[in-house]
Amino acid sequence: MSTDSGTATIRVATPADAEPVQAIYAPFCDSSAVTFEESAPAVSDMADRIDSTLEDYPWLVCEHDGEVVGYAYASQLRKRRAYQWTVELSVYVAEDARAGGVGRGLYESLFAVLERQGVCDAYAVTTMPNPETEAFHERLGFERLVDFPAMGYSNGEWRDVAWWRRSLSVKPAEPEPITPFDELRENAAVEELLAVGEETLHR
């Protein structure tokens, strides 16, 4: 599948997207060590994850001709108030939609939304080795901060983990609390922010 033809859009996810989102995510659990979640969550659990995430952070999906082919979301990095200006990102793309700009488009939209919320830094955590993921984050301006050797045991092997960071905005001396995503959706034209990534899909 390629987004070069047909209609590709990026929109905010809903719990009704749980089934296609779970279908995209499941292979990463069942047949690889990309995620340390070794069994795929049930569709109902995925719906709960989407619903709870959207209170504070964006969860986006990319549709191609009406079919969900990828998704990305932000989540809390750590619980204490001092960390509220940082988030952790995740992105997953269906196997037959990779190398078509879907992951980049989703991230570009995510960056735009998060910056509007007041988030300053985005982090990504990747299981290594993973050359495609490394190259992807480097292309999007992430800095590889640190590697943790043999940090997790998954699928019969000890796995290294790398942490990456991308700055989204300049850190103010006295930052305002970030705007929860559900509040942002009420007071801002989120569609304009999502369009930032859609431009990537159609280049």
Side-chain angles (χ1 to χ4, degrees):
M1 180 187 302
S2 171
T3 57
D4 294 339
S5 60
T7 302
T9 59
I10 294 173
R11 61 171 174 81
V12 177
T14 74
D17 294 309
E19 185 171 354
V21 164
Q22 194 268 0
I24 292 170
Y25 183 59
F28 292 97
C29 301
D30 300 336
S31 59
S32 80
V34 168
T35 172
F36 284 161
E37 190 165 16
E38 296 178 346
S39 59
V43 171
S44 59
D45 292 333
M46 188 63 79
D48 289 341
R49 293 184 187 187
I50 294 171
D51 191 42
S52 61
T53 296
L54 289 172
E55 295 178 11
D56 294 311
Y57 302 106
W59 186 310
L60 310 179
V61 296
C62 177
E63 281 189 330
H64 181 255
D65 288 343
E67 178 183 351
V68 174
V69 295
Y71 68 95
Y73 63 93
S75 57
Q76 185 180 54
L77 185 70
R78 302 194 71 176
K79 291 183 177 181
R80 291 177 181 168
R81 178 183 177 277
Y83 293 105
Q84 67 178 286
W85 296 275
T86 61
V87 295
E88 182 178 346
L89 305 185
S90 298
V91 60
Y92 294 92
V93 178
E95 183 175 4
D96 58 354
R98 292 171 199 163
V102 172
R104 185 184 187 97
L106 283 163
Y107 257 6
E108 294 288 0
S109 291
L110 205 59
F111 296 155
V113 173
L114 291 167
E115 184 176 357
R116 182 67 65 85
Q117 287 184 259
V119 173
C120 296
D121 286 328
Y123 287 79
V125 181
T126 61
T127 305
M128 308 302 290
N130 194 333
E132 292 182 0
T133 296
E134 292 177 66
F136 172 74
H137 284 88
E138 288 170 354
R139 286 195 301 271
L140 284 172
F142 281 81
E143 174 190 7
R144 187 165 173 173
L145 295 177
V146 63
D147 285 23
F148 295 96
M151 189 179 191
Y153 185 83
S154 180
N155 288 11
E157 293 184 33
W158 286 101
R159 311 282 179 171
D160 296 350
V161 171
W163 277 61
W164 307 72
R165 179 184 64 195
R166 171 170 163 147
S167 176
L168 300 180
S169 62
V170 176
K171 294 183 175 70
E174 297 183 6
E176 296 290 331
I178 69 163
T179 303
F181 184 63
D182 58 1
E183 181 179 328
L184 183 74
R185 294 176 73 181
E186 295 178 359
N187 302 310
V190 171
E191 290 77 12
E192 294 179 5
L193 303 176
L194 302 185
V196 173
E198 288 184 347
E199 293 175 6
T200 298
L201 296 174
H202 300 295
R203 286 175 189 165

